[in-house]
């Protein structure tokens, strides 16, 4: 009968995530993970497999959290509030990036940039996450169109792709050093260019403070 694990799996995964996030996949050794988690390498291999499998676990959990954050802002509620929900989400992503003073960026972006070309698991998980985000944005855009806040003649798929590119791009240019106020202006401008129905007033680009989540500044 196997002995129960004498460690908190969630805590170990969080510390492993922090190590991968700080030093990247290639720059992280299992010795580094062992030191960060306080576990021996034998215990790590026994519980999670090799470094690649451990990263896949951490990366997959992060991708799930990214989608859950978006779902928390972009699903449910009346059509009349859809444009406000879109605004809140886009501004939340800008604020999270602005508050990332260490410029660590997003583990999704970092992992995909480093590994997607050669790691099918990372490539597939990244694509699934982007597709899920695109679907959430498209759903809210369609709701705003039904209410008349966005021009019904516009293609919701293309507008969703535009906003997704802006949200993910904000993270990239923020990591590269653009100042927080510029990041906020990018979010404002992206929302301002959404086509409105004739005679409709554009939603004011009021910003709501970024809300904390269990993984910090998820983008």
């Amino acid at each position: 009968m196997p002995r129960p694990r004498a460690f908190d799996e969630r805590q170990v995964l969080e510390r492993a995530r922090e190590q991968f996030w700080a030093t990247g996949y290639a720059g992280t050794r299992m010795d580094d993970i062992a030191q960060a988690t306080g576990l021996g390498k034998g215990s790590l291999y026994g519980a999670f497999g090799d470094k690649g499998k451990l990263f896949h676990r951490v990366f997959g959990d992060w991708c799930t959290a990214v989608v859950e954050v978006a779902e928390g802002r972009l699903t449910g509620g009346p059509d009349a509030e859809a444009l406000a929900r879109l605004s809140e989400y886009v501004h939340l992503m800008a604020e999270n990036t602005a508050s990332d003073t260490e410029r660590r960026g997003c583990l999704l972006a970092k992992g995909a940039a480093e590994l997607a070309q050669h790691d099918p698991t990372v490539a597939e998980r990244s694509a699934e996450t982007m597709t899920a985000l695109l679907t959430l944005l498209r759903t809210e855009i369609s709701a705003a169109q039904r209410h008349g806040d966005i021009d019904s003649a516009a293609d919701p798929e293309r507008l969703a792709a535009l906003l997704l590119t802006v949200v993910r791009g904000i993270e990239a240019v923020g990591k590269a050093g653009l100042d927080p106020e510029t990041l906020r202006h990018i979010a404002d401008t992206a929302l301002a260019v959404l086509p409105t129905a004739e005679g409709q007033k554009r939603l004011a680009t009021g910003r709501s403070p970024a809300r904390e989540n269990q993984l910090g500044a998820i983008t």
Side-chain angles (χ1 to χ4, degrees):
M1 185 175 183
R3 293 184 300 173
R5 293 177 181 174
F7 59 85
D8 185 329
E9 181 176 287
R10 186 178 67 174
Q11 185 179 71
V12 169
L13 288 170
E14 287 177 354
R15 290 178 179 175
R17 183 196 71 227
E18 292 296 314
Q19 186 65 51
F20 282 125
W21 201 2
T23 56
Y25 180 79
T28 300
R29 304 169 303 159
M30 285 300 280
D31 286 333
D32 300 322
I33 301 292
Q35 183 174 2
T37 61
L39 293 180
K41 288 195 292 184
S43 296
L44 287 170
Y45 284 121
F48 305 106
D50 60 19
K51 186 177 84 165
K53 290 180 180 177
L54 177 57
F55 181 80
H56 290 161
R57 174 72 180 275
V58 167
F59 187 76
D61 289 348
W62 181 271
C63 289
T64 296
V66 167
V67 175
E68 287 177 347
V69 168
E71 287 174 339
R73 274 60 176 189
L74 297 176
T75 55
D79 289 356
E81 297 174 3
L83 188 56
R85 291 193 294 270
L86 282 168
S87 179
E88 180 183 7
Y89 176 69
V90 173
H91 284 124
L92 173 67
M93 296 299 100
E95 289 297 334
N96 277 346
T97 301
S99 65
D100 182 17
T101 56
E102 296 180 8
R103 297 184 187 174
R104 293 196 300 175
C106 174
L107 186 62
L108 167 58
K110 293 179 74 170
E114 184 179 4
L115 297 172
Q117 184 179 0
H118 307 291
D119 188 324
T121 299
V122 171
E124 182 178 358
R125 194 70 176 85
S126 300
E128 288 175 354
T129 303
M130 292 302 164
T131 299
L133 294 175
L134 188 66
T135 298
L136 290 167
L137 289 165
R138 184 180 64 240
T139 298
E140 292 294 358
I141 289 168
S142 296
Q145 287 177 306
R146 289 193 297 270
H147 188 255
D149 290 323
I150 295 178
D151 187 356
S152 61
D155 185 339
E157 186 77 27
R158 292 185 179 183
L159 293 181
L162 172 64
L163 287 184
L164 179 59
T165 302
V166 168
V167 166
R168 304 312 304 181
I170 285 174
E171 184 272 331
V173 297
K175 185 180 177 184
L178 280 190
D179 63 275
E181 196 59 23
T182 298
L183 302 179
R184 297 181 182 109
H185 287 325
I186 293 171
D188 289 343
T189 302
L191 292 161
V193 300
L194 292 175
T196 56
E198 187 175 354
Q200 288 291 108
K201 291 184 178 180
R202 168 59 59 202
L203 175 74
T205 55
R207 302 168 189 153
S208 56
R211 283 180 274 179
E212 292 296 320
N213 55 65
Q214 69 275 18
L215 292 185
I218 285 186
T219 58

